[in-house]
Every structure is written in C-alpha cells, then in structure tokens.
C-alpha cells in the first residue's frame, strides 16, 4: 500500500512527463530536415488581385527567422547598421519573448502601414518592420509580404505559447514539489527550535533561576509572570516565523506558473515596497543619526564635567569669592537645565520627521499649550532660583511665611514645603513665598539667639521694680532660656487700671520656641504666687470688700478669711 503523499507525487511526475512529451511533438513534426531541398520559386503573382505569397516564396534566399526550431520566413534587406542576419536574430528574439506573454496571442498581431515600411506589432509592441527592399527581393508587393509574415507569426504565436506554457507548467510543478519539501523541512526545524526554547523557559521556572523584576523593595513582576511573558513572546515569534515562511512559499509557488506570475509580483510588492521605502528612509536618515549621536555624547561629557566642577565647589575643594558653597547644587541644576535645553534646540531639526508638516503642527500646538499653561510654573521657577541665591532660609529652619509657622522640610524650584507646629505639611508655591514676608527664627538663634516675649499686666498697687525682679527671676529659672544675654523687662503701656510689662528672654532652640514660652508663662505664675503678688489683670475691680484673695490655694497666708462688706455713711461725725 502506498501512502496518499506517494500517490500524489507519482501522479505529478506522470503529468510532468506527459506535458514534456506533448510540448516536444509539434516541434519534431514541423522542424525541416537538413536534406530537404529548397522548392522552386513561385511564378510571378497576378497584380490584378492581392495574392498572399506562398511558403515557398518566403523561403527564398535570405536570413531565416527561427522560433522554437521552426523557420517562419526570411528577411533580405539591411535595416540601418544591422545586417540581414542580425535583423533576423533580433526578430526571432522578440517573437519568442512576445509569444510567452500571457496576454499575447495570434489575435493581438496586426500590420501598421507607414511610409516606406509595414510594421507588424503585437498589441503595443513592434515585432519587426517589412521594408520595400524585402518586398523587391521577394518579388511581391510589400503589403502582401507583410500579410504572409503576419500569418506565419500567428502560427508561431499559437504553437510557441502552448509549448512554453506546457513547459512552464511542468517545471512549475517540479519546483512546487521542491519548495514544499523545503517548507516542510524548515517547518520541522522551526518546531524543534521553539519547542527547545519553551523547554528552556520551563526549566528556568522550575529551577527558580529566573530573577524577578524589582525596583528596590517593590516587586514589579514575579519570576512566574516573567516566565509566562517569555512563553507568550516565544509563541508569538513562532507565529511570525510561520507567517513569513508561508508568505514566501506562496509567492514562490505563484511565480512558478505563468498564469499566476502577475499575482505573485503583486503580493511580493505589497511587502517589499513598504520595506523598500522604510529602508531608503533609514539609509537617508543615517547622517542625521550620526549627528544626533555626536551631540548626545558631547552633551553627556559636558554635563559630567560641570557636575565634577560644582561637586568640588560644594565640597570646598574649589572656592570663589562671593559664591557660597551651598549654591553649588542648585546652580548645577540650573546650568544642567540650560545645557540640555541648548542640546535639544540643536537636535530638534535632526529628529525623525522634524521637517514634516505634521511634526511642525504638533510642535506648534504643544508650544502654545505650554505657553498658556506654564505661566505660573515659570513664575515659580524664577522665584525658586531667586530664593536659592537670597538665602532667605535653609532646610530645617523655623520660619513663618505669611500665616504659616513651621520648619522647612523641602525646597524645590517650584514649591517650598513647611511642616507646621501642629505637624501638618503645607506646600507653598515659590512665587507666593517671594511675595510674602518671611520670618526666619533659626538664622539669629544659631549666633546670639532670638528673643521670646510674653506680656503680663499687674495692678498699680504693686511696685513696678518688684514686678521687674519677679519677671526676670521667672525667665532665668525657665529651662531653655539663655543666661547671657540676660532677660529684660519693658513697660509697654500705662493703662487705666494697670501697667503692661513685656518680658523678653533669649533662646537658641527656635524649634522649641512655643514649648519654652509655655514653660516661662508657668514660671511667671509660680514666682508671682510665691511672692504673694496677685495677677488680677486685665481688669481690677474697684470694690474689693467681700471678695476673696485671688492667689492660688497653696499660696494663701495661714488664717486668711475673706473680708466682709463694710458700708460707711457719708456725713457721719468724723466722716
């Protein structure tokens, strides 16, 4: 028993052999033998009626036009620099080539009369010219000679086209079998390669040698997900390879047969034409690509040099008069931005499609959007740069910006972040910082200290010198208050019922200002209570009779009792 594939292969071979045998039969039957004698010339034609010259007349002395082993006719005269032999050879080649055209046949042949010659054409292609000299040497009128040539060419077209198509069919069938065998072999190889690749990926998964994709402690893709992705990529690549193989197999098979050659060319052109355009564009873009590469390399090394210089300035290895080393890092960022902007401006005309109308339109649109939407951003950038060089505050300083009091935790070119005393982070645009009053409590605290203030009002019945001494004592006994410079008291007002005393004390820990101020207020109350001085502010009642003392319970003198109301009549004796 033979397999179906073997049976189909044998049938194809039999069909191929049959086609070759049929193609050879007409050639053997019509090819003249060398021993055949040339027939005698035909008698003169009757000029009263057109007579087509016989084959014997066309085989008179001259150069033969041979197509497919058959002598169609002879040509006699020279044509310009061409001899009759060269002319016959050229005609044979054109006829052979034209007879193999799929759309060429005997019905496409025609005679076009021109002055001094008759042109035999196949469609829109000139095959030969019949000259007056040819007609004179053949002894017949030129039109009759052209008609005879036309008949002979029509027979040749019919026989040649049939023979050529049978030959091409047999060869196409053979080449198709060979191409199919090659496709099967390549397909088997592709399957082997991709099965081996999938096995390797599975082995990496099982052996846990495939690392996961992480950014620090964040796992973006686990090893299993990466293995699954690799398998998907491998299978997709296999589909692409199979598509390429089948595409070229189809193109080759269609090109083997004359009936499908035109379709093969179109299918091939569908892919090769776009690839050719892409290849030409890439080749023409290579000079620009080299220019971009040079600019990128030069910019990279310029930035590295600038970073090295400003790093040395920041570390103190290099110093310039009037240039603080704290300015090194922000200045480097500004210079880097300017260098990158300049490099981008230089590179822009050399980017792919930079000269196209679409690219220009998109660039203009983006530029307009950036201009309209970046007004505030540009203002913040400028303000951030100015704040860097004005040194209004540093990271960690206790500041008050507008109504926000807290510590500076971050400063960028766009915003400044402050953590308030209530542990709330406030983001303030740099343009707002520049237009606001900035109080920095840390700058002077590191040198002479900053002054912390509190105000107390005591009645006029207490001597002011005693109040001063008690307030200074309270400040000196408060934790965090500096002994030098010493605390001092200012009388800020003489009101109707009491004078106002302002206690001023120096501290260094600006971040603990509120805590130290609270401790000092506590000490003021304790010291005044220990001295038996009442803090009856902000108002002192004029009628004291019947009111208990306002000192804390622990500071009330022993045996104290609240006085009773005492009424005295006006006008009594002694009154």
């Amino acid at each position: 028993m033979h397999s179906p594939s073997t049976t189909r292969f044998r049938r194809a071979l039999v069909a191929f052999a049959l086609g070759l045998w049929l193609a050879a039969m007409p050639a053997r039957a019509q090819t003249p033998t060398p021993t055949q004698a040339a027939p005698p010339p035909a008698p003169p034609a009757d000029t009263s009626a057109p007579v087509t010259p016989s084959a014997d007349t066309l085989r008179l002395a001259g150069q033969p036009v041979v197509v497919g082993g058959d002598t169609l006719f002879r040509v006699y005269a020279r044509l310009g620099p061409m001899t009759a032999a060269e002319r016959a050879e050229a005609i044979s080649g054109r006829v052979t080539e034209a007879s193999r055209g799929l759309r060429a046949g005997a019905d496409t042949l025609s005679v076009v009369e021109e002055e001094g010659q008759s042109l035999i054409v196949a469609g829109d292609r000139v095959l030969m010219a019949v000259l007056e000299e040819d007609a004179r040497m053949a002894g017949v009128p030129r039109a009759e000679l052209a008609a005879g040539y036309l008949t002979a060419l029509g027979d040749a077209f019919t026989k040649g086209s049939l023979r050529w198509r049978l030959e091409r069919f047999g060869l196409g069938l053979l080449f198709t079998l060979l191409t199919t065998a090659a496709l099967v072999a390549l397909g088997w190889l592709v399957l082997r390669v991709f099965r081996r690749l999938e096995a390797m990926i599975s082995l990496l998964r099982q052996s846990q040698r495939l690392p996961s994709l992480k950014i620090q402690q964040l796992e973006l893709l686990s090893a299993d997900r990466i293995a699954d992705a690799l398998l998907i990529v491998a299978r997709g690549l296999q589909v692409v390879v199979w598509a390429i193989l089948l595409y070229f197999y189809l193109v080759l098979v269609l090109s083997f047969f004359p009936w499908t050659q035109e379709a093969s060319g179109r299918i091939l052109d569908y892919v090769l034409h776009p690839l050719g355009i892409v290849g030409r564009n890439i080749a023409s873009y290579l000079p620009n690509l080299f220019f971009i590469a040079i600019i990128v390399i030069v910019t990279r090394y310029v930035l590295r040099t600038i970073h090295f210089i400003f790093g040395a300035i920041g570390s103190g290895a290099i110093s310039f008069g009037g240039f603080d080393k704290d300015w090194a890092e922000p200045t480097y960022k500004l210079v880097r931005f300017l260098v990158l902007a300049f490099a981008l401006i230089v590179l822009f005309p050399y980017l792919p499609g930079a000269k196209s109308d679409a690219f220009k339109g998109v660039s203009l649109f983006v530029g307009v959007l950036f201009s309209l939407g970046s007004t505030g951003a540009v203002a913040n950038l400028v303000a951030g740069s100015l704040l860097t060089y004005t040194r209004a505050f540093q990271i960690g300083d206790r500041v008050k910006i507008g109504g926000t009091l807290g510590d500076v935790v971050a400063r960028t070119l766009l915003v400044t972040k402050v953590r308030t005393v209530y542990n709330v982070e406030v983001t303030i645009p740099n343009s707002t910082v520049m237009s606001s009053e900035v109080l920095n409590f840390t700058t002077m605290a590191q040198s002479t200290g900053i002054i912390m203030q509190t105000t107390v009002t005591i009645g006029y019945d207490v001597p002011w010198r005693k109040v001063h001494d008690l307030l200074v004592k309270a400040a000196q006994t408060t934790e965090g208050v500096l002994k030098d410079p010493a605390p001092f008291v200012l009388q800020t007002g003489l009101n109707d019922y009491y004078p106002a005393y302002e206690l001023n004390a120096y501290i260094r820990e600006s971040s603990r200002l509120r805590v130290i101020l609270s401790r000092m207020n506590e000490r003021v109350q304790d010291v005044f209570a220990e001295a038996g001085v009442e803090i009856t502010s902000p108002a002192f009642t004029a009628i004291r009779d019947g009111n208990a003392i306002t000192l804390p319970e622990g500071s009330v003198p022993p045996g104290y009792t609240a006085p009773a109301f005492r009424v005295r009549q006006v006008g009594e004796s002694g009154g």
Side-chain angles (χ1 to χ4, degrees), residues 189 303 442 464 526:
L189 181 61
L303 290 177
T442 304
W464 65 267
D526 291 342

Side-chain angles (χ1 to χ4, degrees), residues 245-401:
L245 289 177
L246 292 175
Y247 170 79
F248 282 103
Y249 172 78
L250 179 63
V251 171
L252 286 175
V253 169
L254 292 178
S255 66
F256 294 151
F257 301 96
W259 305 276
T260 56
Q261 276 184 344
E262 186 175 354
S264 172
R266 285 199 302 269
I267 294 175
L268 187 62
D269 189 61
Y270 290 155
V271 174
L272 294 184
H273 182 67
L275 291 178
I277 294 176
V278 172
R280 288 192 297 271
N281 290 337
I282 293 176
S284 62
Y285 185 72
L286 286 178
N288 293 346
L289 188 62
F290 292 146
F291 183 83
I292 292 175
I294 292 173
I295 293 298
V296 170
I297 293 173
V298 171
T299 303
R300 175 180 174 84
Y301 282 99
V302 168
L303 290 177
R304 292 183 63 177
T305 303
I306 294 173
H307 184 266
F308 174 77
I309 294 174
F310 281 101
I313 295 175
S315 64
I318 300 176
S319 61
F320 297 97
F323 191 90
D324 195 284
K325 65 179 182 179
D326 293 336
W327 296 346
E329 183 65 20
T331 304
Y332 164 70
K333 292 180 179 179
L334 289 175
V335 174
R336 181 181 62 181
F337 173 77
L338 294 176
V339 171
L340 291 175
F342 177 77
L344 182 60
I345 292 172
V346 174
L347 287 179
F348 186 82
Y350 297 93
L351 294 177
K355 297 181 180 179
S356 65
D357 294 336
F359 194 92
K360 294 177 182 177
V362 171
S363 302
L364 180 60
F365 179 70
V366 173
V368 171
L369 289 182
F370 182 80
S371 299
L372 295 176
S374 64
T375 304
V378 172
N380 289 325
L381 284 172
V382 175
S385 302
L386 294 177
L387 287 174
T388 299
Y389 296 102
T390 56
R391 302 189 66 183
F393 50 81
Q394 302 294 327
I395 302 298
D397 287 357
R398 171 62 62 90
V399 298
K400 185 177 182 181
I401 303 174

Side-chain angles (χ1 to χ4, degrees), residues 410-427:
R411 185 183 64 187
T412 65
L413 290 177
L414 293 175
V415 298
T416 298
K417 294 184 178 181
V418 177
R419 182 180 292 115
T420 68
V421 294
Y422 302 106
N423 203 30
V424 176
E425 189 173 280
V426 179
T427 301

Side-chain angles (χ1 to χ4, degrees), residues 22 105 134 147 185 215 274 293 329 375 445 449 538:
L22 291 174
D134 292 324
I215 297 179
E329 183 65 20
T375 304

Side-chain angles (χ1 to χ4, degrees), residues 121-135:
V121 297
D124 56 353
R125 182 176 182 180
V126 178
L127 298 180
M128 64 173 297
V130 183
L131 307 177
E132 288 289 350
E133 184 65 18
D134 292 324

Side-chain angles (χ1 to χ4, degrees), residues 48-72:
S48 60
V51 178
T52 301
S54 63
D56 295 337
T57 302
L58 299 181
R59 291 191 180 92
L60 293 173
Q63 298 300 325
V65 175
V66 180
V67 176
D70 296 335
T71 300
L72 303 182

